[in-house]
Amino acid sequence: MFKIKNKKGMTLIEVVVLIAIIGIISAISIVSLTTSKRTSELDVAAEEVSAVLREAQNYALTGKDISASCGNYVVDFTNGTGNYRLHNGGGTCLLNRLYTLKNGVIVSGSTDTIFIAPHANISGMGAGWRVITLTKGGGSSYVCINSAGLIKKSSSATCN
């Protein structure tokens, strides 16, 4: 009579299938992680831009250094880069702060925003939204400003 031996271990086919499954799960995880990282970096950049816009708006509302030459507070963006600055529009005020977005996030389209003191009205702003687009690696985030002065970040260019 034949004795059946207990099988111990795995066959070569089972090992190959296991390695393939681990590879597929790893690839999906890496893609998901990369997308999440990009989304997080865009969200952080949108918060930074929103904070600088609110600072300029606040300066205009509070009348910081208000005079004939300090009536405007400008946030201007350099198109295609991550550079922007907050300044007073070339008057004699000493407000000139430079900012750079981190992690390769850039501003697409130059959308300079001017807040006019003392009521923080936005120069050239009609009804609707002014949209500042931040991009990185195919992803986008938006900072929206409406005519009433609301500044918010959005995941769509329609600012809903």
Side-chain angles (χ1 to χ4, degrees):
M1 298 224 175
F2 294 103
K3 245 183 172 185
I4 299 176
K5 295 181 180 180
N6 289 339
K7 283 175 74 176
K8 293 183 181 179
M10 298 172 63
T11 66
L12 180 61
I13 293 173
E14 291 171 332
V15 170
V16 169
V17 169
L18 180 64
I19 290 172
I21 291 171
I22 291 171
I24 290 169
I25 291 172
S26 297
I28 292 170
S29 298
I30 289 171
V31 169
S32 177
L33 182 63
T34 303
T35 303
S36 296
K37 182 179 179 196
R38 181 183 63 220
T39 302
S40 175
E41 290 169 347
L42 285 167
D43 285 345
V44 167
E47 287 294 336
E48 289 175 6
V49 169
S50 295
V52 172
L53 287 165
R54 286 186 187 107
E55 183 178 8
Q57 185 182 43
N58 195 31
Y59 285 165
L61 283 169
T62 60
K64 179 175 177 134
D65 294 329
I66 189 98
S67 70
S69 62
C70 297
N72 296 336
Y73 297 91
V74 182
V75 180
D76 68 34
F77 299 91
T78 306
N79 186 23
T81 71
N83 300 320
Y84 61 106
R85 68 186 183 122
L86 167 59
H87 60 93
N88 66 317
T92 58
C93 298
L94 300 176
L95 180 62
N96 189 16
R97 295 189 187 136
L98 301 174
Y99 300 91
T100 301
L101 295 172
K102 296 165 189 64
N103 301 315
V105 177
I106 62 170
V107 177
S108 296
S110 180
T111 310
D112 297 345
T113 304
I114 303 170
F115 294 95
I116 304 167
H119 303 294
N121 297 328
I122 302 170
S123 177
M125 183 77 182
W129 294 91
R130 175 171 291 169
V131 180
I132 299 163
T133 306
L134 307 170
T135 60
K136 179 181 179 176
S140 296
S141 186
Y142 306 92
V143 177
C144 307
I145 309 164
N146 73 4
S147 56
L150 174 66
I151 300 169
K152 69 176 189 171
K153 67 178 191 168
S154 177
S155 58
S156 73
T158 58
C159 300
N160 292 331

